[in-house]
Amino acid sequence: MHANEKDHAWWQRGIIYQIYPRSFMDSNGDGTGDLPGITARLDYLARLGVDAIWISPIFPSPMADFGYDVANYTGVDPLFGSLDDLDQLVEAAHQRGLRVLLDYVPNHTSDAHPWFVESRSSRDNLRREWYIWRDPNPDGGPPNNWVSVFGGSAWELDPTTDQYYYHAYLREQPDLNWRSPAAHAAMLDVLRFWLDRGIDGFRIDALRQVIKDDQFRDDPLDPAWTEGQDPYLSRVHLHSTDRPELMDIVHEFRALADSYNGDRLMIGELYLPIERLIAYYGADGQGLHLPFNFHLILTAWGARRVAGLVETYEAALPVYAWPNWVLGNHDRPRVASRVGAAQARVAAMLLLTLRGTPTVYQGEEIGMHDVDIPPEMIQDPVAHSLPGLGLGRDPERTPMQWDASEFAGFSSVPPWLPLADDFATANVQSQEAEPKSMLSLYRRLIELRRATPALSVGSYRQVYVDDDLFIYARELGSRRVMVALNFSHGERALPAGVGEELRPVLSTHLDEVDRGVLRANEGLLLE
Ligand code: GLC
């Protein structure tokens, strides 16, 4: 290991892989993925070369939001297996050098969680204050104008006690009151429970919502919003999200993680503008290790736009902050559908050669695309609550394509969501055998990143940008790697003088490289 590399933590050098457990591997033939299924596929992930897996929620849940409605934070839903299965998965992962991160959902529980069942039972129940209860407005309507991410008012009137409770997401997902000392303490115990069991860290769900304004002031209306857009965007979420008090909680999460052996990882889900996002590294880096950076998902795909984003993000990061990049997840259209199959290869090179920890969403490595879901097969409640806006998340959640057998090697029965129609050719088994496949490209890129300290921990410097090309250097000591990405569908010469002293090491086409020219949709790595 290079000296400078040793100064970096595993999660700085490493690559994270997101598993959406319902759709990764079904081991018991019920059409839904499960924990033993993940265990059975760990060798694949070790071969791919990733360092950690983050598993979306596997806790007991009525599945109104497919596990993001948790009814018990310290168990495993029978659909996914048992606590024993999870222990076995963690052990098997650790044996292969893979860390395991769980999803922590602090903002809300399921309405079936015993805490909420008690809380809603009467106004003087001891757990009443664990959730957010408010009297109706004088006119009987909701207490303020806050809207749910999933459509409609974020307030639900509960007839038992004639008060409204707050839910930033579905009405089946009541928000916890983090200003309640007892609820707060109980939720920190959840983290301890898993850290004690050997979990290597967490991805924290819906973090920006966790604390809300204690005066419940209306959110200002966004004048830029027009009818027909996502109604959540009709408000500027000034009082319902990203509150200053949230930082205290973030610091607490971090201190708790650090009280273990110093290598547990805290990642936060934060859809925020860059200047607000970086605040979550905390004062002197005592906040999150990685506030998820979703801006590659949110930025239009083009050389200037992407280069500008990287510049802005790099410039905004304080010295103690380690960057990170995400191309896709279980909530957003897949990158192959956003930018097209050809550019998805360029995107893969970008993700795996930028400075900062990359997170790969399952299936990206085989180029999976969004799947059209026939109306009768729709599962995601968002497709129903916000119809016609294309916000349903089933298309990016379809089962992993392992092989060409009847159910893609995912299951022995028809899966919970339909398979992509091209799975017989686009699958792990066929791509493993195909030297120029997307999977081969991911493996090569990951291998190179691991073997090249300039790529894993080196500095970043923009070298050149125009409408089509984005070129940057990654440097460590005297080692220099250059990445040249062609965002266009036409051939482009490398600009004069750029990279002349360097030798091409890898093309996203995975073939012989012509030094001076970038072909259509080609990314080139030079050294
Ligand atoms: C996060 C999750 C999403 C979920 C929501 C509510 O955004 O990624 O899947 O629906 O939080 O928990």
Side-chain angles (χ1 to χ4, degrees), residues 213-384:
D213 181 32
D214 57 357
Q215 297 163 56
F216 295 94
R217 285 169 285 189
D218 274 355
D219 275 335
L221 301 181
D222 188 338
W225 182 83
T226 55
E227 207 66 55
Q229 291 180 317
D230 180 351
Y232 185 67
L233 305 178
S234 64
R235 312 278 193 273
V236 180
H237 308 284
L238 185 66
H239 300 302
S240 54
T241 72
D242 189 24
R243 301 289 311 161
E245 306 95 304
L246 183 52
M247 271 329 291
D248 296 337
I249 296 178
V250 167
H251 283 128
E252 248 184 300
F253 288 162
R254 174 61 180 271
L256 202 157
D258 282 355
S259 74
Y260 282 75
N261 53 3
D263 66 354
R264 312 289 173 107
L265 173 63
M266 294 305 241
I267 307 175
E269 185 204 23
L270 293 154
Y271 283 94
L272 290 174
I274 286 173
E275 70 277 10
R276 286 303 309 147
L277 180 64
I278 56 153
Y280 287 86
Y281 285 103
D284 295 329
Q286 291 308 301
L288 298 175
H289 299 96
L290 302 175
F292 255 151
N293 168 13
F294 296 125
H295 288 271
L296 279 180
I297 300 179
L298 306 171
T299 303
W301 191 249
R304 286 195 197 278
R305 296 293 286 274
V306 171
L309 160 65
V310 179
E311 282 297 285
T312 307
Y313 181 62
E314 282 280 349
L317 287 170
V319 276
Y320 49 74
W322 187 254
N324 78 92
W325 297 97
V326 184
L327 274 182
N329 61 37
H330 64 295
D331 294 327
R332 301 283 159 160
R334 282 189 176 273
V335 62
S337 296
R338 290 199 321 267
V339 307
Q343 280 292 312
R345 295 176 79 102
V346 174
M349 181 172 271
L350 175 75
L351 175 72
L352 292 162
T353 58
L354 279 175
R355 189 175 81 91
T357 308
T359 299
V360 177
Y361 176 45
Q362 74 181 37
E364 270 170 19
E365 77 278 22
I366 54 168
M368 278 179 69
H369 55 76
D370 289 347
V371 175
D372 270 338
I373 311 292
E376 70 281 5
M377 293 198 72
I378 288 177
Q379 303 282 335
D380 183 19
V382 173
H384 297 298

